[in-house]
Amino acid sequence: MELLVNGTMMHLSDNIKTVSDVIDYFTADRPAVVVEHNGNILTKESHSTVNIKDGDKIELVNFVGGG
Amino acid sequence: MEQRYSRQILFSPIGTEGQRKLRQTHLLIIGAGALGTSIAEMFTRAGAGKITIADRDYVEWSNLQRQQLYTEEDAQNRTPKAIALKEKLEAINRDVRIEAHVTDVTPRILEEFVGGVDLMLDATDNFDIRMVMNDISQKHSIPWIYGAVVGSYGISYTIIPGETPCLHCMMEQIPLGGLTCDTAGIISPIVQLVTAHQAAEGLKILTGNRDALREKLISFDLWSNQYSSIDVQRLKNDSCSSCGASPSYPFLDYENQTRTAVLCGRDTVQIRPSSKHKPDLKRTAEDLSPLGEVEQNPFLLSFSTDANRLVLFQDGRVLVHGTSDVSEARSLYHRYFG
């Protein structure tokens, strides 16, 4: 499956079905994340229920703490 | 004054009126590391009225690569960052009142600092204190601007009480470790990119240009060349315990919870004693000198043994260097400071 993640086209395994799977794939060690899916901001509760399909556009924003 | 600020006044959204407003403002910057020094310098040059700076740490050699204004002399003397920064800022613009506090910022202390403050700027290195800032911002209706960096990645968001989602809405809970201790290191340009966004948003707020606020959560990675700007308004949560309809400000109880903190990427643990008793640095130095090497300046005492270095501040806090293990740090603390 091809996804546009943070502006870069990426090839991901077809095992990745939901937004939660995408988050786990890219940010395993960073649980604090905001996700925009095809232009829509998602609440945390919907991460595991929103399915993704070929060509979707995902923005992942990690909250980091350094300063 | 006109000449000093002439180029900023020529910028029409600010103009004479915006400059006059800026002159009346009081900013609070929490943290005087990479983000804090950069933000403080910009607002000092821009002509803010008063800047209060709070930081718990002192200057080290590893800071000089990115923490602007600090010098080798500051690192040599282990000058507390707030003190070193105040000195540099006053040399840049004596018209700006700079108030420096060498302290760990707790809810109680932040409550004391926010009187008369128009804007809080986040230059901290951990989420514990950011969540406290977030609750204080909501409780006192003071905007604050989140900013953070790690590696080549940075993020910022402007939080306006009553309008935007707050940090608690967006994060829901404080992440457990891993995020702030930047084993990934950090490069200086990402600091400047984040502080440029924080300071621009701050200038808009303080010069009466709120209409120009960005209203987006932005993030960027200067190494992998990724830029993102997203509208998070939908995340504003009416049942949020920090900014919702019936707020309880849960993070203001923090004072009773956290007594130790592992400092960002430093192999260091901070211990903040519950007692408000201030230590006698001179006497402590005399007590410790038979046991190891003791160095002292007016603000702190540094005590080194073969394996560890402990630094005692005037406010009673101790930094235990050479460990990230909180219980080992506590044990060393109690061994030498009772």
Side-chain angles (χ1 to χ4, degrees):
Chain A
M1 173 161 39
E2 303 280 322
L3 288 181
L4 191 64
V5 180
N6 291 2
T8 304
M9 193 56 89
M10 297 193 176
H11 183 76
L12 272 75
S13 152
D14 287 342
N15 293 334
I16 289 177
K17 309 272 189 215
T18 67
V19 167
S20 282
D21 295 339
V22 178
I23 296 171
D24 289 345
Y25 181 81
F26 285 102
T27 65
D29 58 339
R30 293 177 178 174
V33 65
V34 161
V35 186
E36 191 186 63
H37 175 236
N38 292 336
N40 298 315
I41 192 85
L42 300 181
T43 59
K44 281 255 188 318
E45 305 81 62
S46 62
H47 289 175
S48 57
T49 56
V50 173
N51 292 314
I52 52 165
K53 59 181 189 311
D54 202 46
D56 278 1
K57 186 182 166 197
I58 303 265
E59 292 285 339
L60 292 175
V61 178
N62 290 304
F63 284 88
V64 295
Chain B
M1 171 180 159
E2 290 300 311
Q3 195 176 4
R4 179 191 286 260
Y5 305 118
S6 63
R7 300 308 188 268
Q8 191 163 280
I9 289 169
L10 266 176
F11 180 67
S12 60
I14 293 180
T16 310
E17 182 58 14
Q19 190 66 43
R20 190 191 60 76
K21 284 181 178 159
L22 183 60
R23 191 86 196 103
Q24 316 285 323
T25 60
H26 181 186
L27 282 79
L28 174 60
I29 302 174
I30 307 295
L35 297 174
T37 49
S38 174
I39 295 166
E41 180 172 355
M42 281 191 269
F43 280 103
T44 299
R45 291 188 187 277
K50 180 178 176 185
I51 301 176
T52 300
I53 297 156
D55 191 281
R56 63 187 178 186
D57 209 353
Y58 58 90
V59 181
E60 292 197 292
W61 288 94
S62 64
N63 301 148
L64 300 183
Q65 158 256 0
R66 68 196 178 284
Q67 300 188 12
Q68 66 192 62
L69 300 178
Y70 297 143
T71 63
E72 293 185 353
E73 193 182 351
D74 295 324
Q76 194 83 49
N77 294 337
R78 297 185 180 128
T79 310
K81 289 180 176 178
I83 302 296
L85 184 55
K86 175 181 161 73
E87 183 188 306
K88 309 300 190 300
L89 296 174
E90 284 174 343
I92 288 168
N93 189 346
R94 63 189 165 182
D95 293 338
V96 179
R97 280 178 58 206
I98 309 291
E99 196 176 287
H101 299 275
V102 183
T103 182
D104 193 27
V105 176
T106 63
R108 181 181 57 82
I109 286 173
L110 196 52
E111 291 268 12
E112 286 171 19
F113 287 166
V114 292
V117 162
D118 300 287
L119 173 68
M120 288 190 286
L121 285 146
D122 168 24
T124 68
D125 63 3
N126 67 85
F127 280 110
D128 282 349
I129 187 61
R130 283 191 179 97
M131 286 308 197
V132 172
M133 288 177 76
N134 188 62
D135 273 2
I136 292 270
S137 150
Q138 296 298 327
K139 187 177 170 188
H140 296 272
S141 204
I142 301 167
W144 76 284
I145 305 177
Y146 164 60
V149 287
V150 63
S152 56
Y153 178 83
I155 180 169
S156 184
Y157 186 65
T158 305
I159 292 157
I160 310 286
E163 295 181 23
T164 69
C166 75
L167 193 64
H168 195 186
C169 293
M170 291 190 288
M171 294 186 53
E172 294 180 4
Q173 60 184 28
I174 299 181
L176 299 170
L179 283 168
T180 60
C181 293
D182 49 341
T183 47
I186 179 158
I187 56 168
S188 169
I190 191 60
V191 172
Q192 302 299 335
L193 189 56
V194 168
T195 60
H197 283 81
Q198 288 180 288
E201 290 280 280
L203 277 177
K204 292 171 192 172
I205 291 171
L206 299 175
T207 61
N209 286 287
R210 286 198 183 201
D211 291 350
L213 285 172
R214 191 183 59 242
E215 300 175 346
K216 299 269 175 67
L217 172 69
I218 47 155
S219 66
F220 3 71
D221 191 317
L222 281 176
W223 214 260
S224 60
N225 308 307
Q226 293 183 338
Y227 301 85
S228 150
S229 167
I230 64 178
D231 185 342
V232 290
Q233 192 62 35
R234 207 185 135 205
L235 296 180
K236 184 162 173 51
N237 178 2
D238 276 349
S239 60
C240 173
S241 57
S242 294
C243 75
S246 310
S248 59
Y249 311 120
F251 296 99
L252 300 187
D253 288 337
Y254 159 92
E255 191 145 31
N256 299 322
Q257 297 165 8
T258 304
R259 294 290 173 203
T260 56
V262 181
L263 298 198
C264 185
R266 296 233 342 239
D267 204 19
T268 297
V269 175
Q270 172 181 267
I271 299 191
R272 180 164 52 87
S274 50
S275 159
K276 300 282 182 288
H277 178 70
K278 298 236 160 92
D280 181 337
L281 293 186
K282 190 160 174 284
R283 208 175 127 200
T284 309
E286 288 166 8
D287 292 346
L288 290 175
S289 57
L291 307 172
E293 191 185 335
V294 178
E295 292 172 73
Q296 209 186 329
N297 71 29
F299 310 101
L300 55 85
L301 172 159
S302 169
F303 169 66
S304 308
T305 64
D306 289 342
N308 295 91
R309 187 158 61 87
L310 287 82
V311 176
L312 171 66
F313 287 81
Q314 271 178 335
D315 64 2
R317 281 179 306 119
V318 171
L319 296 184
V320 182
H321 297 287
T323 181
S324 304
D325 181 329
V326 169
S327 54
E328 185 190 352
R330 274 186 194 276
S331 132
L332 286 164
Y333 171 83
H334 291 301
R335 184 182 309 163
Y336 295 114
F337 299 108

